[in-house]
Amino acid sequence: MVVAVDVHQVFQYPFEQVVASFLRKYPNPMDKNVIAVKIVEEKKDESTGIIYRKRIAICENVVPEILRKVSILKVPSIQLEEESWLNLQERNMAIRSRCLTWTQYASMKEESVFRESMENPNWTEFIQRGRISITGAGFLNCILETFASAFLKQGAQKGIRIMEMLLKEQCGAPLAK
């Protein structure tokens, strides 16, 4: 079974400010699960101006303690890889993230886009689709997928709250229509 979570949010701030806040979002005291984020590759395509970044995030293992009794789930941290393509000229940034931990048992992928809002060019639209599929964990598949679905939804909501807080701190009140 594949668990999917879709998120759509409009930030009432310009694209450049939203992207800058996104890139500074973690680590953050509002989400102690993200321990560190490291840029492992960054390059600019001189012909298109697109900036490519690859980052690795180290996160605490948030799997409930009761489930960590299963040896494959008993790891101290989880690694996530995020790739992004920032096009300042077209005012959009595409992001692809995936979990590097437990790849033989689970697939967790997110695809996101930040882009100028069609409603207001001073606002930024955020669209995200997260998918988790768990296989090879036997009877635990269903339990882990239920946990993963709740975790994805809560994580997306928390990420939006953190972005709103960072934007308000760094840029002031949101822009009105």
Side-chain angles (χ1 to χ4, degrees):
M1 183 171 100
V2 174
V3 175
V5 175
D6 293 320
V7 175
H8 182 260
Q9 175 74 20
V10 175
F11 294 101
Q12 294 181 349
Y13 294 90
F15 173 79
E16 293 76 11
Q17 291 175 342
V18 172
V19 167
S21 291
F22 172 79
L23 293 171
R24 288 192 305 265
K25 185 166 74 168
Y26 296 115
N28 184 305
M30 284 184 68
D31 190 348
K32 295 185 185 340
N33 293 330
V34 181
I35 300 164
V37 176
K38 180 181 178 185
I39 296 173
V40 293
E41 186 179 352
E42 186 170 8
K43 60 187 174 186
K44 182 176 182 177
D45 182 320
E46 295 303 327
S47 64
T48 64
I50 294 174
I51 300 167
Y52 169 81
R53 270 185 203 90
K54 184 188 287 189
R55 305 191 303 175
I56 302 292
I58 309 295
C59 304
E60 280 188 29
N61 183 351
V62 294
V63 172
E65 200 62 43
I66 188 87
L67 296 175
R68 286 196 234 175
K69 301 220 182 289
V70 178
S71 62
I72 61 169
L73 300 176
K74 199 174 200 166
V75 297
S77 61
I78 298 166
Q79 286 195 350
L80 303 172
E81 176 186 80
E82 174 193 272
E83 294 179 283
S84 65
W85 294 264
L86 173 59
N87 187 332
L88 290 170
Q89 197 170 346
E90 293 186 15
R91 299 184 84 206
N92 69 54
M93 182 166 79
I95 305 156
R96 225 178 23 219
S97 305
R98 67 187 183 103
C99 183
L100 300 176
T101 308
W102 301 314
T103 55
Q104 67 272 39
Y105 304 103
S107 166
M108 188 203 89
K109 297 178 181 180
E110 285 180 347
E111 293 179 358
S112 310
V113 174
F114 286 101
R115 65 182 179 207
E116 181 180 297
S117 171
M118 299 252 211
E119 191 178 340
N120 182 328
N122 289 315
W123 293 357
T124 305
E125 187 176 16
F126 173 64
I127 301 166
Q128 181 178 66
R129 168 160 264 204
R131 294 182 310 278
I132 293 181
S133 173
I134 298 174
T135 57
F139 72 95
L140 287 177
N141 281 8
C142 189
I143 294 168
L144 291 171
E145 283 174 344
T146 301
F147 168 75
S149 174
F151 180 74
L152 262 183
K153 287 176 188 168
Q154 290 170 1
Q157 291 166 351
K158 185 188 285 185
I160 287 171
R161 282 194 310 272
I162 291 170
M163 287 286 296
E164 290 282 4
M165 182 208 65
L166 289 174
L167 286 161
K168 196 169 186 178
E169 278 179 6
Q170 295 163 7
C171 309
L175 298 172
K177 281 189 176 188

